[in-house]
Amino acid sequence: MKLDALRIIDKARKEGRKILLEPEAKTICRLYNIPVTVFDVATTANEAVEKARKIGFPIVMKIISPDVVHKSDVGGVLVNVKNEEEVKAGFDKIIENVRKKLPNARIKGILIQEMAPQGIETIIGGINDPQFGPTVMFGLGGIFVEVLKDVSFRVAPISKDEAIEMIEEIKSCKVLKGYRGYYKADIEGLAVAIEKVSHLISELPIDQLDLNPVFAYEEGKGVKVIDARIILQ
Ligand code: ADP
Ligand code: MG
């Protein structure tokens, strides 16, 4: 799996790219058995329809461009696309939105994904810290990480038990344990994903990895990476 991941990294480097495209980053996650959304790539509207049909409606469509960092900021994400007409219209709409905001953006295609059911939003990250080396990070999504900076770190690689400690360490951990309207999240599944990310970041020449969001489902129902970004060393 490491060799296949290195092949993807090599190809990006040859094209002069340090930021991997979402399908590349998700393929690498998948090689490390980290659960990601089902996805496929389309370069024409007809191909998008065909791939959407294969995945099953509703689907999500996203821009694939090395020049777009935050896809939704440029109108590059359409969720809950319900039928073939909407796929066709969505294909053109996304390209139009991106062209308007970033006229010079290189567009590599449109990503077609299963629309994952909403889960509790978490973030799993990795950085190659100049002092500590490969490091893994965990937090809840949204305000928990942006405003409260409620995250935990470990030097990678770590075991599943250490990943559980990381999860229990964040102040907002209650949210994952069935606090007020929240269901009890699959902490075991999250820990396994964090453990795998810690191996990924230790073994590959990656500077930064952002899995944001990762949806955590009910106990026993696992987790799913919704968006993935990898920056190479
Ligand atoms: P970016 O962070 O680059 O703007 P994302 O891929 O994170 O783009 O998409 C933005 C938001 O759209 C996500 O935070 C999530 O709420 C929703 N979303 C994206 N992809 C999916 C998907 N496959 N299933 C369900 N929701 C999705
Ligand atoms: Mg995102």
Side-chain angles (χ1 to χ4, degrees), residues 24-142:
E24 293 169 333
K26 280 190 171 166
T27 301
I28 290 179
C29 287
R30 210 162 50 188
L31 287 167
Y32 277 81
N33 290 317
I34 299 159
V36 299
T37 53
V38 173
F39 67 87
D40 211 337
V41 174
T43 52
T44 65
N46 282 334
E47 205 187 343
V49 168
E50 191 191 307
K51 306 233 152 132
R53 210 187 289 141
K54 224 177 263 168
I55 288 173
F57 291 103
I59 55 133
V60 174
M61 302 175 75
K62 304 189 203 182
I63 190 71
I64 307 174
S65 166
D67 305 306
V68 174
V69 179
H70 297 293
K71 298 174 291 284
S72 34
D73 288 355
V74 295
V77 178
L78 290 179
V79 298
N80 200 22
V81 179
K82 290 192 282 299
N83 54 47
E84 299 189 2
E85 278 83 74
E86 287 187 16
V87 172
K88 271 196 186 147
F91 189 93
D92 295 335
K93 185 69 192 158
I94 288 179
I95 291 173
E96 185 192 320
N97 289 347
V98 175
R99 287 249 177 277
K100 217 181 276 166
K101 295 243 170 144
L102 296 169
N104 297 320
R106 292 161 288 176
I107 295 175
K108 299 277 191 183
I110 299 289
L111 191 56
I112 312 292
Q113 312 192 327
E114 66 171 310
M115 169 100 181
Q118 187 65 42
I120 299 176
E121 288 194 24
T122 69
I123 296 175
I124 304 175
I127 51 163
N128 201 332
D129 187 86
Q131 203 176 341
F132 298 109
T135 303
V136 68
M137 186 212 87
F138 173 75
L140 295 186

Side-chain angles (χ1 to χ4, degrees), residues 22 62 69-72 210-213 226-228:
E22 183 177 333
K62 304 189 203 182
V69 179
H70 297 293
K71 298 174 291 284
S72 34
D210 260 301
L211 307 183
N212 179 11
I226 302 298
D227 185 19

Side-chain angles (χ1 to χ4, degrees), residues 109-188:
I110 299 289
L111 191 56
I112 312 292
Q113 312 192 327
E114 66 171 310
M115 169 100 181
Q118 187 65 42
I120 299 176
E121 288 194 24
T122 69
I123 296 175
I124 304 175
I127 51 163
N128 201 332
D129 187 86
Q131 203 176 341
F132 298 109
T135 303
V136 68
M137 186 212 87
F138 173 75
L140 295 186
I143 62 156
F144 293 104
V145 64
E146 283 161 29
V147 183
L148 304 173
K149 311 267 185 256
D150 183 19
V151 293
S152 55
F153 290 93
R154 286 289 184 288
V155 172
I158 58 169
S159 66
K160 191 184 87 184
D161 286 346
E162 288 172 292
I164 288 184
E165 277 173 30
M166 272 182 88
I167 298 168
E168 307 230 301
E169 201 172 292
I170 60 167
K171 294 185 204 83
S172 40
C173 183
K174 264 188 178 173
V175 168
L176 298 170
K177 292 189 163 172
Y179 185 66
R180 300 225 174 145
Y182 291 94
Y183 53 77
K184 246 180 148 168
D186 195 336
I187 290 183
E188 187 86 6

